[in-house]
Amino acid sequence: LMLVLSITSALPVMATDITVYRTPDCGCCGKWVEHLEHAGFEVSVRSMRSVAPVKAQLGVPQALQSCHTAEVEGYVIEGHVPAEDIRRLLVERPKATGLAVPGMPVGSPGMEMGDRHDAYDVVLFGGGEPSTFASH
């Protein structure tokens, strides 16, 4: 008997408050917020001229930065991290600062462009050496 079950598919969709820091003129940030809302997150958006001070305050390494930053239940989420990976983070609760998708990979949530989907990693950071949390 072989039973394979994805932990993310078994998770209840619960409303989770998440705060997103972004610049007002970034379209992909808005699309990522919609992705989170569709996944059941309660999103509070904080628009600001520069998100750099927030990234510095929250400890996001320069090499892992993207266009927007979020906070959820004590974790930092940087860039186009899929909602399913955020849910998994909140269940597993590793000792870390948070998750990041460096840059803006095509095909990641908020960066959809037709049928193109570039491979990308979700990086767990702030708990020692950064490591791959998920690959898409």
Side-chain angles (χ1 to χ4, degrees), residues 1-84:
L1 174 67
M2 189 166 159
L3 178 65
V4 178
L5 178 65
S6 166
I7 187 167
T8 52
S9 66
L11 297 178
V13 176
M14 55 213 156
T16 304
D17 293 330
I18 188 167
T19 303
V20 177
Y21 303 93
R22 59 168 284 194
T23 56
D25 54 349
C26 183
C28 67
C29 294
K31 289 180 179 177
W32 187 68
V33 166
E34 289 174 16
H35 166 75
L36 295 178
E37 290 172 339
H38 288 296
F41 285 89
E42 291 289 330
V43 184
S44 298
V45 176
R46 304 275 192 271
S47 287
M48 52 192 56
R49 190 173 304 143
S50 174
V51 187
V54 173
K55 295 177 189 304
Q57 178 186 347
L58 296 176
V60 179
Q62 185 111 24
L64 298 180
Q65 292 184 6
S66 182
C67 54
H68 52 262
T69 304
E71 288 183 286
V72 59
E73 295 187 14
Y75 287 104
V76 176
I77 307 297
E78 178 68 14
H80 295 269
V81 177
E84 67 202 42

Side-chain angles (χ1 to χ4, degrees), residues 94-110:
K95 288 186 190 288
T97 302
L99 297 176
V101 171
M104 299 166 66
V106 174
S108 61

Side-chain angles (χ1 to χ4, degrees), residues 59 61 64 95-99 123-131:
L64 298 180
K95 288 186 190 288
T97 302
L99 297 176
V123 178
L124 181 72
F125 70 95
E129 282 297 308
S131 61

